[in-house]
Amino acid sequence: MSSFKEINYESLNLNPFVMLKDEWGLLSAGGPEKHNTMTIAWGSFGVMWNKPVMTVVVRPQRYTYEFVENNDLFTISFFPDGHKKALGILGTKSGRDCDKIAESGLTPTFVDDTLAFEEANLIFVCRKLHGGQQLDASKFIDKSLDKENYPENDHHYFYIGEIVKVLQK
């Protein structure tokens, strides 16, 4: 972690739309003994309850769900170019079935006892403020969104985390 410097979130100059949709990130939770991560391309940055926050979503069948659900902190790690293959592995394989982190070639590190990655260039450490609420399919105004995104009826759980630390290389 010595290659990272803690910065103020207000000093960031970033495009969250490109970061999430095109570059992807890793949502991670858990401590040194037991942890997991998954690739994300959906989420949001913003301000809620007068706090800087990131909202992440996790489907209930994802192994990472139980780690986000059962821990107070989670991280979102973003990477420089050249890590798409690793992120692909971490987004398509389950930590229940294999050591996907080892397969990815990324190096786990721990920030405040929660999982992040040495190869990242930007890490957000978030403290859960609200979570465990599942998207209610009956509330879709545009019903096509439910049909297109949830054919298995596996609606995401939402977690709002206060950004308590930002680490940058």
Side-chain angles (χ1 to χ4, degrees):
M1 291 305 310
S2 61
S3 60
F4 288 91
K5 178 178 138 185
E6 187 170 351
I7 62 167
N8 187 310
Y9 74 92
E10 292 175 336
S11 70
L12 289 169
N13 183 16
L14 53 84
N15 183 332
F17 300 99
V18 171
M19 289 172 65
L20 287 165
K21 181 178 164 285
D22 299 330
E23 297 172 356
W24 310 337
L26 290 178
L27 167 62
S28 307
E33 297 300 315
K34 192 169 181 183
H35 49 265
N36 203 52
T37 190
M38 63 179 257
T39 303
I40 61 169
W42 292 0
S44 63
F45 289 90
V47 176
M48 190 73 176
W49 307 301
N50 299 312
K51 296 180 181 299
V53 298
M54 183 156 189
T55 301
V56 295
V57 294
V58 184
R59 290 183 195 264
Q61 71 267 32
R62 296 299 300 258
Y63 189 41
T64 303
Y65 165 78
E66 68 186 64
F67 292 92
V68 175
E69 181 68 21
N70 294 319
N71 287 279
D72 293 333
L73 296 177
F74 61 85
T75 65
I76 300 94
S77 301
F78 292 97
F79 297 81
D81 289 343
H83 291 86
K84 276 284 186 149
K85 184 176 180 185
L87 295 174
I89 290 168
L90 295 167
T92 57
K93 295 194 175 198
S94 174
R96 282 189 196 99
D97 305 327
C98 64
D99 187 348
K100 68 180 188 174
I101 294 173
E103 284 185 40
S104 76
L106 295 180
T107 310
T109 190
F110 293 88
V111 181
D112 299 336
D113 285 329
T114 196
L115 178 64
F117 293 90
E118 278 295 333
E119 293 81 2
N121 59 358
L122 188 61
I123 299 169
F124 293 88
V125 179
C126 299
R127 181 178 59 90
K128 280 191 318 192
L129 297 176
H130 187 277
Q133 185 169 355
Q134 192 170 30
L135 184 71
D136 182 346
S138 72
K139 303 293 184 186
F140 273 107
I141 306 302
D142 180 345
K143 302 295 184 197
S144 71
L145 293 172
D146 188 34
K147 289 178 186 169
E148 290 169 18
N149 294 288
Y150 302 102
E152 308 283 319
N153 205 30
D154 57 346
H155 296 88
H156 284 99
Y157 282 80
F158 281 76
Y159 295 90
I160 301 170
E162 177 184 7
I163 299 169
V164 294
K165 188 179 284 185
V166 181
L167 300 170
Q168 186 174 46
K169 278 200 175 159

